Amino acid sequence: MAVDVPRRQLTLDEVAELAGVSRSVASRVLNDAPHVSRAKREAVQRAVQELGYVPNPTARALATRQTGAAALIISGESPSIFADPFFAQVIVGATSALEEADLHLMLCLAASDRGRKRVEQLLRSKGADGVMLMALREGDPLVKMAEDAEMPAVFGGRPVGFNPRWYVDVDNVGGAREATEHLIAVGRTRVAAICGRLDTEVGRARHRGYRDAMLAAGLPPLPPVEGDFTEPSGAAAMAALLEREPGVDGIFAANDNMAAGALRTLRQAGRRVPADVAVVGFDDLVVAQIADPPLTTVHQPIEALGREMARMLAALIDGRDPTPLILPTRLVTRSTT
């Protein structure tokens, strides 16, 4: 007697593959959600008919909660964020990846109590399918808010004292170590660090890289001078260093903005770069190319940082479990060393 073999349950991934769209797009089409182009909607509907796909009721119920948006939450002072080309490049990268997943980008600034309350409301109401968080400081309340929200969350850089499950970061320690090693290799023995905010992991990590390189070379690390990643703070830190360490002959600045400020102060003080003081920055922003003289710096793939954060978040929204990612850095030598 013939035995009926149960037909295998088709998956949403198969529908998405046949339609040539992401899993999240296919899910939104099946649930008649907004923010899907007509062409992609029709492609998914054709794939459903061709495969004879029947949605799983439980998965369908969960999918109806999708909003079609992903939030990028930046913790910091609003004016400095919009003045810093770093964040502009992150947004460009994130937007390109979200477009591939048919997700819209929501930009949220948490620079004030009011801003943080609005973010908390967004998270509690699940006003986005997932969030990306950046520029977090030690003890930042956004970390707990993201945990409590029980929604997909990707961190751009790891917060101090917290090890998130999903994050994209760059090799801050390795890049800073390479920058300092370069200064030592060109003959500098009194190398100082203008570090970023030490209540951020990026500030601490880049200072660790500087310190590791100095100790490995048998040179005493000088006490750091802290800046806030802006050009004026770099200028002020350089002035403080010249007063405290007049014999300094090398500077590692934890980002290009602060390095540009250091160059301005050195020029005003009559110090020649690189003859008297060599300078290396970090980021490889446009300011490094147009600085006077052009700045040796550590290149980090900033657009890729935003893009990979968004791709990781889209994967989480689709029900996958991506792994954390550390992006490489490389030294770019110009005229300041």
Side-chain angles (χ1 to χ4, degrees):
M1 182 174 66
V3 177
D4 291 334
V5 178
R7 183 180 179 183
R8 181 179 65 84
Q9 177 69 41
L10 294 168
T11 68
L12 185 59
D13 289 315
E14 291 173 288
V15 173
E17 183 178 1
L18 181 59
V21 300
S22 70
R23 188 178 188 277
S24 61
V25 170
S27 176
R28 289 201 293 278
V29 170
L30 291 174
N31 291 283
D32 200 26
H35 311 303
V36 181
S37 68
R38 180 177 179 181
K40 291 183 179 180
R41 189 178 296 276
E42 291 175 349
V44 171
Q45 291 168 345
R46 285 195 300 269
V48 167
Q49 292 177 354
E50 183 174 336
L51 293 172
Y53 173 76
V54 178
N56 179 286
T58 302
R60 187 182 181 98
L62 290 172
T64 57
R65 296 204 295 253
Q66 292 185 342
T67 66
L72 174 60
I73 301 172
I74 301 176
S75 179
E77 299 301 324
S78 303
S80 64
I81 287 170
F82 288 116
D84 193 336
F86 173 88
F87 290 106
Q89 291 186 43
V90 169
I91 291 170
V92 168
T95 300
S96 66
L98 291 177
E99 286 177 349
E100 294 173 4
D102 267 23
L103 289 166
H104 291 272
L105 177 67
M106 298 170 57
L107 179 60
C108 305
L109 302 181
S112 63
D113 289 340
R114 183 177 181 183
R116 283 186 287 273
K117 286 179 181 178
R118 293 180 66 183
V119 168
E120 185 175 18
Q121 183 179 4
L122 172 75
L123 296 174
R124 284 183 174 178
S125 65
K126 291 185 169 51
D129 291 339
V131 296
M132 299 168 283
L133 300 101
M134 295 195 71
L136 302 178
R137 299 175 184 173
E138 187 174 14
D140 200 311
L142 289 178
V143 174
K144 189 174 187 310
M145 288 182 198
E147 282 190 296
D148 293 344
E150 297 182 350
M151 64 191 302
V154 173
F155 289 78
R158 288 157 288 183
V160 173
F162 177 69
N163 188 26
R165 184 172 178 182
W166 297 289
Y167 63 84
V168 181
D169 208 346
V170 299
D171 185 7
N172 290 302
V173 173
R177 184 170 53 240
E178 185 178 14
T180 308
E181 289 170 347
H182 176 70
L183 287 165
I184 295 168
V186 297
R188 309 304 161 130
T189 58
R190 297 289 293 170
V191 179
I194 298 176
C195 62
R197 296 184 61 107
L198 292 176
D199 61 353
T200 66
E201 179 58 29
V202 63
R204 294 185 182 187
R206 292 179 187 178
H207 183 253
R208 283 199 301 273
Y210 155 80
R211 184 178 176 82
D212 290 350
M214 293 292 285
L215 292 173
L219 296 172
L222 299 178
V225 178
E226 186 175 350
D228 63 4
F229 296 110
T230 64
E231 194 272 355
S233 75
M238 190 70 247
L241 273 171
L242 288 177
E243 183 176 351
R244 192 187 72 192
E245 304 283 349
V248 66
D249 61 4
I251 295 293
F252 165 62
N255 82 336
D256 290 343
N257 294 328
M258 293 192 299
L263 290 177
R264 176 162 62 89
T265 294
L266 289 168
R267 186 164 53 248
Q268 292 171 349
R271 300 291 184 97
R272 298 169 299 166
V273 178
D276 299 324
V277 183
V279 180
V280 179
F282 202 117
D283 284 343
D284 199 18
L285 300 172
V286 172
V287 67
Q289 301 172 35
I290 64 175
D292 182 21
L295 180 66
T296 293
T297 187
V298 176
H299 174 86
Q300 65 162 319
I302 303 173
E303 277 194 33
L305 175 66
R307 185 165 56 250
E308 294 302 330
M309 286 170 57
R311 284 177 176 170
M312 186 174 291
L313 183 62
L316 287 169
I317 293 170
D318 284 350
R320 288 172 279 157
D321 186 13
T323 56
L325 182 62
I326 302 289
L327 301 175
T329 61
R330 59 182 172 83
L331 187 71
V332 179
T333 55
R334 296 193 179 99
S335 303
T336 56
T337 58

